[in-house]
Amino acid sequence: MTEMAKRYERNMGGYGANPPDAAWPGGARIAVNFVVNYEEGGENCLLHGDTYSEAFLSEIVGAANWPGQRHWNMESIYEYGARAGFWRLHRIFTRSNVPVTVYGVASALARSPAQVMAMQEAGWEMASHGLKWIEFKDMPAEEEEAQMMEAIRLHAEVTGERPRGWYTGRASMNSVPLAALEGGFDYIADTYDDDLPYWKRFGGREQLIIPYTLDANDMRFASAQGFNTGEHFFTYLKDTFDGLYAEGVAGRPKMMTVGLHCRLAGRPGRAEAVRKFLDYVLSRDQVWIATRAEIAAHWAQEHPPAETFRPTELAKDAFVAKFGSIYEHSPWIAERAWGLEMGPAYDSLAGMHMALARAFRSASGEERMGVLAAHPDLAGKLAAAKRLTAESAAEQASAGLDALTDAERAEFERLNGAYTAKFGFPFIIAVRDNTKGTILEAFNRRLSHDAESEFAEACRQVERIAYLRLSEFLS
């Protein structure tokens, strides 16, 4: 039976400390995307075949579902979004000819022909928000897939073309994989994990993910500790924009999304915050206001998916063959590292260094002593006989230890002998961090250490050597 590795599917690494330059059009410092969620008429309601009324994202904070009953107040709140709120937001954006992405629930769009026509006449992007605005967490994958396919069909029937973007919203663990494997979406938005788009692989296919937002989102008007006034909303949006804009000025351009709902931000006191923020954005230079479809097209052109080396996907034998020499003559460290619970964040220099270091640190004192003893003397007999490993030979040469004078060689031999006699293992130092002079200084200084502290120092140096070797492997 093939041994299986423990693998953690979540990615805690992302772009890390050095995200790519987004290269937004015109050298923009930030890309801003406005999303209008159109859900009114797609929410839970007995008229829609559901078994209870809606309870989510309305003026009735803390509402509960009413099993077997319609909820007059809740229905009328949602109706406000379609009847009044939508048109208020529509006027705000169209007066400035600002592009907007619509997350349209297919059944809601089908019940709102005038609003759909207005969206299309304004040139807004029409992405899919699923068939119904309901919770999917307990739905069987087969049923969710069937609803997704019906959402695509109905969306195309209502708007004239299939959606190219997808956002479930109240997603299950199956939602994103199902959308990715459907294969027809330029992007999926059901994540909140980054300020930039990124590619994620599903079944051998690379899918573009454009993260959405739940913080720069008017849904916080309908949640505990959320926005209480339009001014709160405006201030938060402005602060978010200013923070991201400053990062763009510093050479790290990002993306900002603003999430809106017709029944929430479409209320007059909140719509003013949207208008004020839009005016603020339009007053700044080097800002790209774009739909998510435009962002997806840009990212696919400027940052297409690249084949990357993923060490965590290697079989055990291949992993050990690749990393077995990182710790001197100790392939068992790579074997143990392979068996750790590693995820995508480990497919990096930092990740592989941590995995190998964990295997080394968790080994017994006797095993670690064996790793120390496996290292050659600096400028010793193995070097003279050209019997060093390729890694050790290159490292010693980097500090000129392969070209010593007779006096220097004699001094190294004396120090090697004294050190080994005292501690029982060779003197170990990350040669690439040093020169002949600093190595000799460290030799003399560390000879004064006690056995315990020097063992710890030697282990730290072993890990540093491993890191430097890995940096060449994975550069």
Side-chain angles (χ1 to χ4, degrees):
M1 179 181 291
T2 303
E3 185 176 356
M4 302 298 292
K6 306 170 188 174
R7 293 297 177 256
Y8 185 68
E9 65 182 75
R10 296 170 66 196
N11 186 346
M12 301 300 189
Y15 289 124
N18 298 297
D21 180 356
W24 300 130
R29 306 296 192 187
I30 185 174
V32 178
N33 169 237
F34 291 95
V35 172
V36 172
N37 292 267
Y38 198 86
E39 300 156 352
E40 290 74 14
E43 77 278 12
N44 284 292
C45 178
L46 268 63
L47 293 178
H48 306 159
D50 303 301
T51 58
Y52 48 75
S53 64
E54 186 57 68
F56 192 48
L57 291 188
S58 80
E59 303 302 319
I60 310 173
V61 178
N65 301 113
W66 290 6
Q69 296 184 59
R70 293 175 62 186
H71 193 313
W72 182 274
N73 291 349
M74 184 65 71
E75 289 183 20
S76 68
I77 287 171
Y78 269 75
E79 288 161 15
Y80 181 92
R83 293 161 59 105
F86 167 79
W87 298 106
R88 186 168 285 114
L89 293 177
H90 182 267
R91 288 191 294 272
I92 288 173
F93 289 113
T94 55
R95 70 178 173 86
S96 299
N97 196 31
V98 168
V100 169
T101 294
V102 176
Y103 286 167
V105 173
S107 57
L109 296 177
R111 295 180 173 115
S112 300
Q115 291 90 333
V116 170
M117 182 177 292
M119 296 172 192
Q120 293 181 315
E121 288 178 348
W124 291 4
E125 176 203 353
M126 305 287 282
S128 181
H129 199 3
L131 178 64
K132 302 172 71 174
W133 175 230
I134 59 175
E135 185 71 70
F136 287 91
K137 67 181 180 65
D138 297 321
M139 185 177 291
E142 297 77 11
E143 183 179 347
E144 183 173 357
E145 182 179 20
Q147 286 210 17
M148 181 177 292
M149 300 309 295
E150 175 59 14
I152 295 169
R153 187 204 67 77
L154 182 58
H155 186 106
E157 181 179 285
V158 169
T159 69
E161 57 185 4
R162 72 152 285 158
R164 305 301 304 179
W166 179 269
Y167 177 67
T168 306
R170 296 154 82 173
S172 74
M173 291 302 296
N174 299 314
S175 301
V176 172
L178 285 173
L181 294 174
E182 191 276 334
F185 295 110
D186 295 335
Y187 70 87
I188 297 170
D190 277 296
T191 67
Y192 314 94
D193 54 3
D194 215 303
D195 298 309
L196 287 173
Y198 62 88
W199 298 93
K200 185 175 175 65
R201 189 165 58 178
F202 295 88
R205 178 179 181 274
E206 296 289 343
Q207 174 66 58
L208 183 63
I209 306 294
I210 304 183
Y212 188 46
T213 178
L214 296 182
D215 67 310
N217 191 311
D218 66 2
M219 68 174 288
R220 292 180 60 195
F221 281 111
S223 63
Q225 294 185 329
F227 302 123
N228 292 320
T229 69
E231 191 62 30
H232 290 162
F233 190 33
F234 169 73
T235 299
Y236 189 82
L237 294 180
K238 179 179 178 297
D239 287 347
T240 300
F241 176 90
D242 289 344
L244 292 173
Y245 191 90
E247 292 183 17
V249 171
R252 297 183 297 276
K254 301 295 195 317
M255 177 186 76
M256 177 182 178
T257 300
V258 180
L260 305 171
H261 299 75
C262 300
R263 64 191 176 280
L264 297 176
R267 294 282 175 174
R270 299 164 184 161
E272 278 300 291
V274 177
R275 182 192 60 76
K276 286 172 60 179
F277 178 67
L278 178 58
D279 288 346
Y280 180 73
V281 170
L282 292 172
S283 74
R284 304 298 298 272
D285 60 0
Q286 293 183 288
V287 177
W288 183 39
I289 303 178
T291 65
R292 295 176 91 74
E294 290 170 329
I295 291 171
H298 171 84
W299 204 264
Q301 178 177 331
E302 295 294 326
H303 304 280
E307 184 59 39
T308 58
F309 176 49
R310 295 180 173 89
T312 61
E313 296 182 3
L314 293 175
K316 185 175 183 179
D317 289 348
F319 187 91
V320 174
K322 179 69 176 178
F323 299 107
S325 64
I326 296 298
Y327 281 72
E328 193 82 4
H329 294 297
S330 303
W332 59 267
I333 292 177
E335 291 179 7
R336 293 184 187 178
W338 180 84
L340 294 173
E341 181 197 74
M342 296 189 288
Y346 277 78
D347 289 324
S348 63
L349 173 58
M352 280 297 100
H353 175 58
M354 178 181 282
L356 294 168
R358 285 175 60 191
F360 175 61
R361 294 167 189 167
S362 62
S364 67
E366 182 179 354
E367 289 173 318
R368 284 182 287 154
M369 179 64 81
V371 176
L372 302 186
H375 281 259
D377 289 333
L378 293 183
K381 294 178 181 179
L382 288 178
K386 301 187 182 303
R387 292 173 54 199
L388 298 176
T389 64
E391 292 85 358
S392 289
E395 288 157 0
Q396 296 202 21
S398 71
L401 301 188
D402 60 340
L404 300 175
T405 66
D406 290 342
E408 289 172 332
R409 186 172 293 104
E411 178 66 0
F412 269 94
E413 289 176 357
R414 181 187 71 79
L415 291 168
N416 279 326
Y419 185 94
T420 304
K422 181 173 181 178
F423 298 114
F425 53 84
F427 178 76
I428 300 170
I429 192 169
V431 175
R432 292 190 185 277
D433 290 335
N434 290 275
T435 65
K436 281 187 293 185
T438 60
I439 291 171
L440 289 170
E441 289 174 7
F443 239 135
N444 285 292
R445 182 181 70 256
R446 286 167 56 183
L447 271 168
S448 65
H449 288 176
D450 60 74
E452 183 178 354
S453 60
E454 185 54 25
F455 179 81
E457 176 60 29
C459 287
R460 284 192 289 270
Q461 293 296 323
V462 164
E463 291 184 20
R464 176 61 181 169
I465 291 168
Y467 175 82
L468 294 171
R469 289 179 178 180
L470 271 171
S471 65
E472 292 189 340
F473 270 54
L474 299 176
S475 59

